[in-house]
Amino acid sequence: MSVVSEASQTDVLEYIITHIFCPVQLPQHNDYTLDNDRSLLDVALGSARKFVRSLPNHDQEQWSPLLKMLENLAVAMTSPSLTVDVIESQIKSMQVGDILAYLIREQNAAVVLRRFDTKTIFESFEVSPSVFAVMEAKGKLLCSYPGPAIAVSNLVVDNPTFPPELANFLSHMSCDASDSVAFQGETADPCYITQLLTDILRAFGEPADIPRIRKRICDDALQSNATLLWRRSPIWLVVRVVLQTSLERTSLGRNSYKAFMASLMTDLVSKALEGDISSDLLYSMSIKISRRLVKLQVEDEFLAFSLSRLSSTQ
């Protein structure tokens, strides 16, 4: 029984490492399960908590809404589809500065809510590029995040009818998938979220002028005698996009995001050294971390933190 348990733990760890590091050798079949994605999110949340504890108090305060966002996202992912009661409760509980993020996997989209003093901004974006775009790309895809953004007055958001209606819509969208699209391995069109939901919200608000980021996305579409293609985990993209877009809107800036990513990857190296992970995969992980550290400026205080974390694992 313990052998099976250890093998299962190794498989989950390999899933997490594969989707976070995106090594050269990737699976040739769809490896998604809800438990695997939950485990990936749990690792990201655990590393974020550890990272934040090492920061000055002022920086911890700016990270606090992001930790809360990850915790709420983990709660929302306890079931295959979004639960109305959970989503409604989270929306009603939002305070100024809070952020909520939801992956609507069946619609290939994510929704992000940001609460401000007088308004709430709703952002959405596609979470998996089309197979055609991935296969046609020479190298990584250059994508802009988030997509459309609508600002709605908190007077509307706090109306007793708004949270349950929005929660019901998101829950319904997370259950409604196209079997033909899934069978063919192509990603769903996110239009029900990025267009329909955006148009509904626009009736209550107005387009929001927000800063956007551009990311070089590493993804692939691989298949070998299997019905479904391997695609990189959408939940991992959601986590990265929300963290980076949020941190770049604070005084911490992009370097805080980069330092956290290096710290998270270092945590995974430690877990890999304790587990039964191949030397080839360990080598690929070390190369990825080295590249990330090089991107950070030597004089930045976050670099010193990341380097000390890396050296402590050797």
Side-chain angles (χ1 to χ4, degrees):
M1 191 73 175
S2 60
V3 175
V4 175
S5 178
E6 289 177 3
S8 176
Q9 291 177 2
T10 300
D11 289 343
V12 172
L13 181 57
E14 287 186 353
Y15 175 89
I16 296 170
I17 292 172
T18 297
H19 287 266
I20 289 181
F21 282 84
C22 203
V24 175
Q25 293 185 344
L26 295 169
Q28 300 295 311
H29 59 86
N30 177 36
D31 57 357
Y32 164 78
T33 67
L34 178 61
D35 287 341
N36 281 346
D37 263 7
R38 276 298 308 272
S39 297
L40 188 156
L41 183 56
D42 288 343
V43 166
L45 177 56
S47 290
R49 286 170 173 162
K50 184 186 300 183
F51 176 78
V52 171
R53 284 197 297 268
S54 301
L55 298 176
N57 290 337
H58 178 263
D59 294 353
Q60 290 187 25
E61 292 176 2
Q62 296 191 74
W63 263 89
S64 180
L66 295 176
L67 293 180
K68 186 177 179 181
M69 177 275 297
L70 291 173
E71 292 166 355
N72 282 324
L73 180 56
V75 171
M77 288 183 59
T78 54
S79 61
S81 58
L82 298 179
T83 305
V84 173
D85 292 343
V86 171
I87 307 307
E88 180 181 349
S89 175
Q90 291 181 351
I91 296 173
K92 287 181 176 179
S93 300
M94 289 189 78
Q95 303 295 321
V96 174
D98 282 353
I99 303 168
L100 290 176
Y102 298 113
L103 168 64
I104 299 90
R105 184 181 177 88
E106 288 70 16
Q107 304 303 329
N108 188 30
V111 175
V112 181
L113 288 69
R114 302 179 189 271
R115 178 93 176 192
F116 296 92
D117 291 329
T118 61
K119 63 185 177 183
T120 297
I121 294 182
F122 297 79
E123 304 168 359
S124 60
F125 55 90
E126 182 181 52
V127 294
S128 285
S130 69
V131 173
F132 177 79
V134 170
M135 300 306 292
E136 285 292 309
K138 295 181 179 179
K140 296 182 179 181
L141 285 168
L142 185 60
C143 302
S144 175
Y145 298 102
I150 301 295
V152 178
S153 169
N154 287 339
L155 295 176
V156 175
V157 176
D158 294 339
N159 186 292
T161 63
F162 187 91
E165 289 297 332
L166 178 60
N168 185 65
F169 178 88
L170 295 179
S171 176
H172 179 73
M173 288 294 103
S174 70
C175 298
D176 185 12
S178 172
D179 294 335
S180 61
V181 169
F183 179 81
Q184 296 168 9
E186 181 57 275
T187 56
D189 188 334
C191 62
Y192 286 116
I193 302 299
T194 58
Q195 296 180 26
L196 177 59
L197 178 59
T198 298
D199 287 343
I200 293 173
L201 293 171
R202 197 193 307 263
F204 300 99
E206 60 184 5
D209 183 15
I210 60 170
R212 288 177 168 81
I213 63 171
R214 303 183 76 186
K215 292 186 71 67
R216 296 175 66 245
I217 301 299
C218 176
D219 200 348
D220 213 331
L222 303 173
Q223 184 181 46
S224 177
N225 299 323
T227 302
L228 298 179
L229 298 170
W230 181 91
R231 297 302 304 272
R232 199 173 185 187
S233 172
I235 194 64
W236 178 231
L237 178 69
V238 173
V239 169
R240 288 183 292 157
V241 168
V242 178
L243 288 181
Q244 185 174 347
T245 54
S246 300
L247 288 169
E248 289 196 16
R249 300 177 194 182
T250 70
S251 62
L252 297 177
R254 182 177 301 183
N255 276 355
S256 184
Y257 168 77
K258 290 182 177 180
F260 165 67
M261 292 297 295
S263 178
L264 167 61
M265 289 182 167
T266 302
D267 287 340
L268 278 173
V269 168
S270 299
K271 293 178 184 294
L273 291 172
E274 296 172 359
D276 186 20
I277 302 299
S278 68
S279 57
D280 288 342
L281 189 52
L282 284 170
Y283 176 75
S284 178
M285 294 170 73
S286 66
I287 293 297
K288 292 275 186 175
I289 294 177
S290 298
R291 289 175 179 173
R292 281 197 169 271
L293 293 179
V294 167
K295 292 179 181 179
L296 290 170
Q297 296 179 357
V298 177
E299 67 273 15
D300 197 281
E301 60 181 357
F302 288 105
L303 178 59
F305 170 80
S306 300
L307 287 173
S308 64
R309 290 291 307 281
L310 181 59
S311 61
S312 66
T313 64
Q314 296 177 343

